[in-house]
């Protein structure tokens, strides 16, 4: 049970870092950050592997890179939807 709490916290932090690096926000606030961070962690590790420091079972560097990709793509899709 405690592991899943750490996964959510680390996922949120990864999402926040990715949003700060891209200067873009995900919709749905902190829930969007958690989802973006978790999806980004999955994508980053699938694309780049599990190297570097790990926290809560997530390789941080590939996870942040993946989350940056997710935040960028989602923000592009959301801005096109508003236009």
């Amino acid at each position: 049970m405690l592991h899943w709490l750490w996964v959510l916290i680390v996922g949120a932090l990864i999402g926040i870092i990715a949003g700060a690096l891209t200067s873009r926000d995900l919709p749905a606030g902190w829930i969007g950050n958690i989802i973006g961070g978790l999806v980004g962690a999955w994508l980053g590790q699938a694309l780049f592997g599990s190297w570097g420091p790990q926290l809560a079972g997530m390789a941080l560097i590939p996870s942040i890179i993946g989350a940056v990709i997710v935040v960028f793509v989602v923000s592009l899709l959301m801005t096109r939807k508003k236009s």
Side-chain angles (χ1 to χ4, degrees), residues 27-40:
W30 59 273
I31 294 173
N33 282 336
I34 292 172
I35 294 170
L38 293 174
V39 171

Side-chain angles (χ1 to χ4, degrees), residues 19-59:
L21 289 174
T22 59
S23 298
R24 298 171 187 254
D25 291 325
L26 285 173
W30 59 273
I31 294 173
N33 282 336
I34 292 172
I35 294 170
L38 293 174
V39 171
W42 172 80
L43 178 68
Q45 290 182 69
L47 292 175
F48 306 114
S50 295
W51 50 272
Q54 293 196 6
L55 189 58
M58 291 182 252

Side-chain angles (χ1 to χ4, degrees), residues 1-80:
M1 179 69 176
L2 190 59
H3 171 73
W4 290 109
L5 179 63
W6 277 112
V7 168
L8 293 175
I9 291 170
V10 172
L13 291 174
I14 289 171
I16 290 168
I17 291 168
L21 289 174
T22 59
S23 298
R24 298 171 187 254
D25 291 325
L26 285 173
W30 59 273
I31 294 173
N33 282 336
I34 292 172
I35 294 170
L38 293 174
V39 171
W42 172 80
L43 178 68
Q45 290 182 69
L47 292 175
F48 306 114
S50 295
W51 50 272
Q54 293 196 6
L55 189 58
M58 291 182 252
L60 295 178
I61 296 170
S63 295
I64 291 170
I65 294 170
V68 165
I69 294 169
V70 168
V71 167
F72 186 74
V73 169
V74 169
S75 65
L76 280 179
L77 293 174
M78 295 307 284
T79 56
R80 287 186 183 188

